[in-house]
Amino acid sequence: MKKITPTSLFAFSILSLFVMGSALPAAANQYYGVVESFGGGQVVVKTTQGSTGTWKVNHATQVTGAIREYDWVSVEVENSGHVTALQLEEHPTGHGGVVKAINGVVLTVHSGNSMESWNVVKTTLGDTGVAIGDDIGVKVYSNHNLAYIHIIKHGVQ
């Protein structure tokens, strides 16, 4: 009978780890953000990491919720760029108004009969360079973060 040396045992252990590792699924990354587009086998999401991800979606992707443009979603993506899970977190609602004040990232807007505060964040899409007096249309989440801004008219006051 052959004696097992520490070197051969070490080599066997390393080889076993490589074989087991190849059988594991590809590592996945978790992202949150705003849907720029969804369809045609891909989803484009502006992420909280400050980047835009364009990833592959197919029959193997687990989609939870009716995903549409400007939705807040969580996305689980393999290193290959394939989405394993796409989940709706929140649909934004549409609002409009005139910007009355800007304090950092917070817009104070006269909307309807009230004043509202909406936050421009790194995931906000559209015309983010608004000014006081601009008439804007927005898509806003329940936490007052803006998904999208559209300047309807400058300087309305």
Side-chain angles (χ1 to χ4, degrees):
M1 178 181 256
K2 288 187 177 183
K3 186 176 179 184
I4 298 177
T5 66
T7 304
S8 62
L9 184 59
F10 178 73
F12 176 76
S13 298
I14 296 297
L15 181 61
S16 297
L17 288 172
F18 279 121
V19 170
M20 286 180 7
S22 66
L24 297 174
N29 300 297
Q30 185 78 31
Y31 298 93
Y32 290 90
V34 177
V35 174
E36 290 189 35
S37 66
F38 177 51
Q42 75 175 17
V43 62
V44 179
V45 176
K46 187 169 183 183
T47 71
T48 56
Q49 286 86 350
S51 63
T52 300
T54 302
W55 299 303
K56 297 173 238 152
V57 176
N58 63 21
H59 67 281
T61 302
Q62 178 185 352
V63 178
T64 306
I67 310 293
R68 58 185 186 232
E69 190 176 41
Y70 309 125
D71 284 348
W72 185 257
V73 295
S74 68
V75 187
E76 190 172 297
V77 183
E78 293 176 340
N79 289 335
S80 66
H82 175 262
V83 176
T84 56
L86 175 61
Q87 180 173 341
L88 171 68
E89 298 289 330
E90 184 177 357
H91 292 298
T93 58
H95 294 273
V98 176
V99 178
K100 294 297 183 180
I102 300 173
N103 186 10
V105 298
V106 180
L107 305 178
T108 302
V109 179
H110 186 250
S111 178
N113 292 328
S114 64
M115 295 297 277
E116 297 189 27
S117 295
W118 298 329
N119 308 310
V120 179
V121 294
K122 68 172 110 177
T123 56
T124 302
L125 301 171
D127 304 318
T128 57
V130 299
I132 294 173
D134 286 351
D135 183 11
I136 60 174
V138 301
K139 299 283 187 177
V140 64
Y141 302 113
S142 60
N143 65 358
H144 300 276
N145 288 347
L146 293 172
Y148 173 78
I149 302 174
H150 171 71
I151 298 172
I152 298 168
K153 189 173 182 183
H154 288 290
V156 172
Q157 296 291 345

